[in-house]
Amino acid sequence: MTLKAKIAIGVLVVTVLVVAGVLTTLQSRNTGTQVRTEEVGRRDLEAIVTASGNIRARRTVDISSDVSGRIVELNVDEGDDVQEGQVLLRIDQTQFQAAVAQWRAGLSQREAQAAQQNASLIQATREYDRMQGLWTRDSTLVSRQQVDDAGTQAEVAQALFTAAEHGVDQARATLAEAEDRLSKTTIRAPISGKVTRLNIELGETAIVGTMNNPGSLLLTISDLSVIEAVMQVDETDVPEISIGDSAALELDAFPDTEFAGTVTEIGNSAIRPPSSAAGTGQTPTIDFEVVITLDDPPVELRPDLSTTADIVTETRNQALAIPIIALTIRDRSEEVADGNDSNGDEALGNGDAGDGATESENTRAEDQDEEDEEEEEEGVFVVRDGEAHFVRVDVGIAGQEYFEVLSGLSEGDTVVSGPYQRVRELSDGDAVRTDSTGAEEDEPTG
């Protein structure tokens, strides 16, 4: 063989080896599940409970009428600011003024009757004293019967005078009642604030509430100096909230503004108790009322506006954190089953021994299987040398996108952070690749 032929063969062999190496490298790159990864780092985390509700004034007074009558004077409009004691409206006083005049005259009459009975009492007392004196000096001047009759007349006069005095008291009380009803025809503001609701017009009739009729609500005054947001919080989130927790509120009426507030009240009973849904066939939703006081409410806020609040229940500064999507759950029984696959054939091959197992042994085996099935552990897949290894972790609070890591990982570890479905389908030891080839799956929106 000539030298040129040998050189040509050598070049060909080298070329084949190089091509084979390139193909092997490309093939190794294309093996494994494509995933996204992220290094474990430190972040500021906030645990948040989100709830919806409405705005209200801390102090609100609904004003109704204590007397019935036609509105003859209306001095306010909805949205007006009023001061405590200001006259809001007046009800027709004609009937009530007549009642006051009638009972004032009745009182005068009773007082005159009392004065008359007092004079009769004085006269009867004098007559009795005179008879008693004559009887004492000379019993022959008057009889004992005359003395006793005079005493009886004095007692009768005393009783009539006492009754007349009670009649005066009764007339005076009735007059006070009539004057009170007359005063209630003028309705004044009980607090300073804003008229947030006006349900009456000039000329309409105010109706007094009864047991079966709540009556007419004339208007509502709200003190808007202190504004609260009344939120409905699910029963599962209530234990996480404490008095003093901070909150950020967003109102549909002010889409570009965020309001700060503080939790000041947490309900001790459900807004709609389970008993209210009895007989409906529906499972009631148990919500609790949580009140958030706004720190610096603007004057533009109005009661009943809808709002959404993010209540910060816990905070962690520079905590070790992993993406929420990276955390997955594995059944420990699966690992046990994988490790014991090689023993399965032996178990099948030793059927005779199984026939001799006692009932108690079988029961214990079933109980153990149930315990294994219930045992689950949370963890993440850590990428080492192109392979995903499941590592159990303990997590703390959950932020918007990250979990706090309490144990199991160190800062700088690389974990599989998506896509969602591939994280759930990975197994310990699977090969993974993190290059950008191939289309990634969409993240779940739920």
Side-chain angles (χ1 to χ4, degrees):
M1 182 179 296
T2 63
L3 180 60
K4 290 183 178 181
K6 292 180 179 180
I7 293 176
I9 293 173
V11 171
L12 181 60
V13 171
V14 171
T15 302
V16 171
L17 293 176
V18 170
V19 172
V22 171
L23 291 177
T24 302
T25 301
L26 291 177
Q27 184 178 3
S28 63
R29 288 182 179 178
N30 290 328
T31 58
T33 303
Q34 180 183 339
V35 295
R36 289 198 306 270
T37 59
E38 184 172 332
E39 285 191 1
V40 178
R42 297 191 176 273
R43 297 176 179 270
D44 294 334
L45 301 179
E46 291 182 341
I48 292 176
V49 171
T50 301
S52 59
N54 298 93
I55 295 296
R56 76 176 183 190
R58 171 174 292 181
R59 190 180 183 193
T60 299
V61 179
D62 293 329
I63 300 176
S64 300
S65 177
D66 294 323
V67 296
S68 296
R70 183 171 56 87
I71 306 297
V72 295
E73 181 181 332
L74 184 60
N75 300 323
V76 293
D77 290 322
E78 188 167 327
D80 287 352
D81 292 322
V82 297
Q83 298 298 321
E84 183 177 354
Q86 178 180 335
V87 176
L88 303 176
L89 56 90
R90 283 191 172 91
I91 298 173
D92 187 7
Q93 300 178 342
T94 304
Q95 178 182 356
F96 303 99
Q97 289 174 339
V100 169
Q102 177 184 356
W103 285 109
R104 186 173 287 123
L107 175 61
S108 299
Q109 180 183 6
R110 296 294 179 86
E111 290 175 341
Q113 291 175 351
Q116 181 181 358
Q117 293 299 329
N118 186 40
S120 299
L121 174 61
I122 294 173
Q123 181 182 2
T125 302
R126 287 175 180 174
E127 181 65 18
Y128 173 71
D129 292 341
R130 188 175 67 84
M131 290 292 183
Q132 185 69 28
L134 291 174
W135 170 262
T136 302
R137 287 196 305 268
D138 188 354
S139 61
T140 60
L141 296 177
V142 293
S143 64
R144 185 63 189 176
Q145 179 67 36
Q146 288 177 309
V147 175
D148 292 341
D149 289 345
T152 302
Q153 291 296 327
E155 292 176 357
V156 171
Q158 178 64 54
L160 291 175
F161 176 66
T162 302
E165 286 184 324
H166 290 322
V168 171
D169 293 338
Q170 182 181 13
R172 187 175 289 116
T174 305
L175 175 60
E177 180 183 2
E179 290 175 340
D180 178 66
R181 291 175 65 83
L182 175 61
S183 67
K184 289 178 178 177
T185 59
T186 299
I187 297 179
R188 302 177 181 272
I191 62 172
S192 298
K194 185 183 291 292
V195 179
T196 53
R197 184 177 289 108
L198 183 63
N199 296 333
I200 199 75
E201 294 291 343
L202 186 66
E204 293 183 354
T205 300
I207 301 175
V208 179
T210 61
M211 181 177 296
N212 298 322
N213 180 13
S216 56
L217 174 63
L218 303 181
L219 52 88
T220 300
I221 297 178
S222 301
D223 180 7
L224 300 179
S225 60
V226 180
I227 299 294
E228 298 177 335
V230 185
M231 317 305 297
Q232 293 187 8
V233 179
D234 187 82
E235 59 180 326
T236 58
D237 295 325
V238 170
E240 307 297 329
I241 302 175
S242 303
I243 300 295
D245 285 346
S246 62
L249 299 94
E250 295 182 354
L251 279 70
D252 294 341
F254 302 89
D256 299 327
T257 306
E258 185 176 273
F259 302 92
T262 304
V263 175
T264 54
E265 184 180 343
I266 302 174
N268 292 307
S269 59
I271 299 174
R272 291 176 296 276
S275 58
S276 63
T280 62
Q282 298 179 352
T283 302
T285 300
I286 306 300
D287 294 326
F288 286 77
E289 182 177 281
V290 174
V291 178
I292 301 173
T293 300
L294 274 67
D295 294 340
D296 188 18
V299 295
E300 296 85 0
L301 287 189
R302 296 290 183 269
D304 301 329
L305 292 176
S306 59
T307 180
T308 301
D310 289 335
I311 304 171
V312 180
T313 58
E314 288 189 74
T315 59
R316 296 287 189 274
N317 295 324
Q318 291 299 298
L320 202 65
I322 57 172
I324 290 178
I325 196 174
L327 189 68
T328 185
I329 298 177
R330 285 176 59 89
D331 192 343
R332 294 178 181 176
S333 62
E334 293 180 1
E335 296 181 2
V336 175
D338 292 342
N340 294 335
D341 281 345
S342 59
N343 297 328
D345 294 338
E346 296 179 3
L348 293 175
N350 296 329
D352 294 340
D355 294 338
T358 65
E359 182 177 353
S360 60
E361 291 175 346
N362 292 334
T363 302
R364 286 196 298 270
E366 292 176 359
D367 293 340
Q368 183 63 39
D369 291 341
E370 292 178 358
E371 292 178 2
D372 291 341
E373 290 177 359
E374 293 176 356
E375 290 183 355
E376 293 180 339
E377 57 183 1
E378 293 181 323
V380 297
F381 285 97
V382 177
V383 178
R384 302 191 186 107
D385 299 328
E387 293 183 349
H389 297 277
F390 184 81
V391 175
R392 182 182 180 279
V393 297
D394 293 323
V395 295
I397 69 170
Q400 295 282 3
E401 298 178 356
Y402 289 84
F403 276 121
E404 176 192 16
V405 178
L406 301 178
S407 64
L409 295 175
S410 301
E411 186 174 358
D413 287 344
T414 301
V415 299
V416 178
S417 61
Y420 176 85
Q421 189 61 33
R422 292 180 185 171
V423 174
R424 271 54 187 171
E425 293 174 351
L426 278 178
S427 297
D428 189 57
D430 283 354
V432 294
R433 55 189 173 88
T434 59
D435 56 41
S436 58
T437 60
E440 294 186 348
E441 299 176 4
D442 295 335
E443 298 297 334
T445 58

